[in-house]
Amino acid sequence: MNTLRDSLASIPGAVQNLATAASNYYVAARNSQGQNDSLSTAAEDRLSASSTPTTESLHSFNEIDSASGAILVSEKSLPIPASLVKEQWRLIFNSEASVQDLQEAINHCKDLVLISEENSEERRWLVRHLVDLRYSLEELQEAQSDKLEVGPTVKTVVGHHFTARQRGIGKTLPLPTQRNYCDYCTGIIWSVVQASYFCTDCRYMAHQKCVDKVTRVCAHVIASERQYPILEICPEIGLAAQQYKCMECQTLLNCTLHTTIQCFGRKSKPENSWIEPRLCDYTGLYFCPSCHWNDQSVIPARVVHNWDFLPRKVSRSALQEIQLFLDKPLIRLEEANPKLFVFLEKLATVKKLRTNLVYMRKYLSECRQALEDKILETQIGHRRYLIQSNELYSINDLEQTENGTLADYLHKVFNCFDKHIRSCSMCMAKAYICEICSNDEVIFPFDDGCIICDMCNSIYHRVCMTRKNMICPKCVRVQERRLQRERSIESKENNENNPNNARPNDI
């Protein structure tokens, strides 16, 4: 019985020895000049295939030693362009570097920015990294000047602004009410016993031991560079274009892993492991299970083109980016798909309400009583774009239009504005009277039974304009006055040029 227990206890050590031997074999194959290319390629394939999406070996990159130029296997994943790999040891990716190291890295990064090509991937990466280095330097200097600070509470890594969430209760940030997972290693974050970091921009969460190994660029940086959500429906390029690798961590996808384990004095059969390629419906790219957790989200492109709100599977980076776009009014729906307003009555209703609210805003913004009561701020709040124009929509606005909550909200705001305008003497003084029927009833541009002339902005009853064949009386008068003025000017010029043709009364 003891022999069986000892044999079982030796299995983890055998696996670890096997992984260490494979890593050493890979490094030796890359550094030896006498080995052929096939041996190096086979070793590289075995090493990349021997890692799983939840291990740290998945996120390893090749690092070049500054002294010997030898290729070393680093523990950190560096999202760096291939042309800048030789410079990575001088750019400092560790957030625990000293002030002098950061200053040297900043100077070297500025030099590389000047010699890089405009609008190139290298320059964009260098500028982003330069901002991170300066932010880290400022934080480090503030931490050194403050004697009460025990450790770094904020870290800047590849665009993320990580805030420390210390273990225990009553620390920097409140404890979460639900179970959270590390976006880097996919492990559970035990908030009571483990310290973790939380990105204040994109909500990326990571263990304290994983925060310096983060490779994913902050979704806030990507969204700021892109400015608009992707409006192409799943622009898939295929696994071949990605070289059958995960788009984020470069893990080899759709491969078979063969391992041989020494167990009970004999070799076991090779085991097969499948790394599933998962498609992101937002970007059209493939990811590994560590970077794609089968999260589901509404796709903006499918909403705009197909009015489809069915959630679909997206990667972690795409989910964080979509969440940043949810409340931003960036979609010009009528330009992208004008037929939606013809086939969807609920969308046409929302557009009509927003058009009326635009007219109402002009009255309330010029009313002294409305400004004192802050009617606009209390009723519309941070969604003031809804009453400034009827063109821009956010993803949440379109989703609320589908379920009817946006129309109910706009009706409530409309009734509040209408009540003030009709009870305010200053607003009523700016009302209109229909010129066609000469009725004493005052009318406003946001009334349902009224119509506005596109030329002179005059307001009439819709029925009255229909009787006049949609001809505006004010526009007719203006046209007649212009013709009369032109005729008088022409007659005056003729009299000045031909005084003999002047009539006796004119002499």
Side-chain angles (χ1 to χ4, degrees):
M1 191 67 181
N2 295 331
T3 304
L4 179 60
R5 186 180 295 110
D6 296 339
S7 300
L8 293 175
S10 63
I11 291 178
V15 176
Q16 184 176 4
N17 295 334
L18 179 62
T20 304
S23 178
N24 295 334
Y25 177 72
Y26 170 70
V27 175
R30 292 296 302 268
N31 292 333
S32 60
Q33 300 295 332
Q35 299 292 335
N36 53 21
D37 295 337
S38 62
L39 179 60
S40 178
T41 305
E44 184 175 357
D45 293 340
R46 281 196 295 272
L47 181 63
S48 60
S50 63
S51 60
T52 60
T54 59
T55 59
E56 292 185 0
S57 59
L58 174 70
H59 304 277
S60 59
F61 272 72
N62 293 332
E63 198 172 66
I64 298 179
D65 191 0
S66 59
S68 61
I71 300 177
L72 304 177
V73 178
S74 174
E75 295 181 354
K76 299 178 181 179
S77 172
L78 309 178
I80 181 171
S83 59
L84 297 176
V85 172
K86 295 182 179 180
E87 303 290 341
Q88 67 183 31
W89 67 274
R90 300 180 61 183
L91 293 177
I92 298 178
F93 292 87
N94 191 349
S95 61
E96 297 179 357
S98 62
V99 175
Q100 183 178 0
D101 294 338
L102 288 174
Q103 290 176 347
E104 293 178 357
I106 289 173
N107 295 331
H108 184 64
C109 191
K110 290 194 294 186
D111 295 338
L112 292 177
V113 170
L114 295 177
I115 63 177
S116 60
E117 297 182 1
E118 292 187 8
N119 299 326
S120 63
E121 180 183 357
E122 290 79 7
R123 172 164 287 191
R124 288 196 297 269
W125 186 93
L126 287 169
V127 171
R128 185 188 306 148
H129 186 65
L130 181 60
V131 174
D132 291 344
L133 289 175
R134 288 177 173 173
Y135 193 84
S136 300
L137 178 61
E138 182 180 354
E139 291 172 351
L140 185 59
Q141 290 174 348
E142 291 179 357
Q144 290 180 353
S145 61
D146 189 359
K147 298 180 180 180
L148 298 178
E149 187 165 2
V150 179
T153 59
V154 179
K155 288 188 177 184
T156 304
V157 182
V158 289
H160 297 277
H161 293 157
F162 286 111
T163 301
R165 188 192 296 271
Q166 303 292 344
R167 61 179 179 272
I169 302 177
K171 299 297 182 180
T172 306
L173 291 177
L175 291 177
T177 57
Q178 60 183 1
R179 180 177 294 180
N180 292 316
Y181 296 87
C182 177
D183 281 274
Y184 176 79
C185 68
T186 70
I188 299 177
I189 298 178
W190 304 100
S191 302
V192 178
V193 296
Q194 286 181 318
S196 60
Y197 280 85
F198 176 83
C199 180
T200 57
D201 294 331
C202 68
R203 300 180 181 180
Y204 188 106
M205 295 193 68
H207 293 109
Q208 185 178 16
K209 63 180 181 179
C210 300
V211 68
D212 285 332
K213 305 173 186 178
V214 173
T215 63
R216 185 188 306 160
V217 180
C218 182
H220 185 269
V221 176
I222 302 299
S224 300
E225 293 178 353
R226 185 171 287 151
Q227 296 184 353
Y228 297 95
I230 298 176
L231 295 181
E232 297 180 11
I233 298 178
C234 194
E236 185 178 354
I237 62 176
L239 272 172
Q242 297 181 205
Q243 300 179 354
Y244 297 95
K245 295 181 180 180
C246 174
M247 196 62 188
E248 183 173 324
C249 64
Q250 299 300 310
T251 302
L252 188 62
L253 301 175
N254 196 14
C255 62
T256 303
L257 173 65
H258 298 282
T259 59
T260 303
I261 302 176
Q262 187 77 19
C263 183
F264 300 111
R266 60 182 180 180
K267 294 182 179 181
S268 63
K269 295 181 180 180
E271 296 181 357
N272 296 331
S273 178
W274 175 264
I275 300 180
E276 176 191 4
R278 296 180 178 178
L279 176 64
C280 175
D281 198 85
Y282 176 69
T283 60
L285 303 175
Y286 285 89
F287 297 84
C288 68
S290 288
C291 304
H292 193 310
W293 298 1
N294 285 332
D295 295 309
Q296 293 187 353
S297 173
V298 175
I299 309 301
R302 295 186 182 275
V303 174
V304 172
H305 298 292
N306 299 337
W307 200 249
D308 182 8
F309 294 90
L310 183 66
R312 286 176 170 80
K313 296 180 180 180
V314 295
S315 63
R316 291 294 296 173
S317 58
L319 178 65
Q320 294 169 356
E321 182 180 338
I322 292 175
Q323 289 176 347
L324 294 175
F325 283 125
L326 286 178
D327 295 322
K328 294 184 178 180
L330 300 173
I331 300 176
R332 297 183 180 273
L333 188 61
E334 196 165 5
E335 294 182 4
N337 194 354
K339 292 185 178 180
L340 286 177
F341 293 88
V342 178
F343 294 102
L344 296 174
E345 183 180 356
K346 58 182 71 175
L347 197 58
T349 302
V350 169
K351 180 184 176 182
K352 177 62 177 176
L353 284 171
R354 292 187 62 179
T355 303
N356 292 335
L357 290 175
V358 171
Y359 293 126
M360 288 182 166
R361 181 186 62 84
K362 297 178 180 179
Y363 283 87
L364 297 178
S365 60
E366 297 176 359
C367 178
R368 183 175 62 255
Q369 185 63 35
L371 294 177
E372 292 178 357
D373 297 340
K374 296 183 179 180
I375 297 179
L376 293 176
E377 289 79 2
T378 55
Q379 293 296 323
I380 207 68
H382 64 280
R383 305 177 70 179
R384 194 156 183 168
Y385 64 91
L386 292 173
I387 62 175
Q388 290 178 343
S389 67
N390 59 354
E391 299 176 355
L392 297 176
Y393 293 85
S394 66
I395 302 174
N396 277 339
D397 292 337
L398 300 179
E399 193 169 2
Q400 291 178 6
T401 301
E402 173 64 18
N403 56 34
T405 56
L406 182 60
D408 296 339
Y409 170 73
L410 294 179
H411 273 297
K412 179 181 177 181
V413 176
F414 177 86
N415 293 334
C416 179
F417 288 177
D418 184 72
K419 181 179 179 181
H420 169 82
I421 292 174
R422 297 188 185 278
S423 61
C424 178
S425 58
M426 185 176 296
C427 295
M428 287 293 292
K430 300 178 182 179
Y432 292 82
I433 296 178
C434 180
E435 182 182 343
I436 299 176
C437 63
S438 299
N439 195 339
D440 294 337
E441 179 187 5
V442 295
I443 55 178
F444 292 93
F446 48 84
D447 290 338
D448 291 335
C450 299
I451 189 172
I452 304 175
C453 178
D454 297 333
M455 300 298 295
C456 62
N457 294 326
S458 298
I459 302 176
Y460 306 95
H461 291 116
R462 189 179 299 273
V463 178
C464 298
M465 282 290 288
T466 304
R467 291 202 304 265
K468 288 288 185 177
N469 296 325
M470 306 303 291
I471 299 176
C472 176
K474 183 177 180 180
C475 293
V476 173
R477 291 198 307 273
V478 172
Q479 182 69 15
E480 291 178 354
R481 291 174 183 174
R482 184 171 63 253
L483 293 176
Q484 184 178 2
R485 185 170 59 255
E486 291 176 356
R487 285 196 298 266
S488 62
I489 294 174
E490 184 179 359
S491 176
K492 185 176 180 180
E493 290 178 354
N494 292 333
N495 293 334
E496 291 178 354
N497 295 331
N498 299 316
N500 296 328
N501 296 334
R503 291 177 297 180
N505 295 336
D506 297 336
I507 299 176

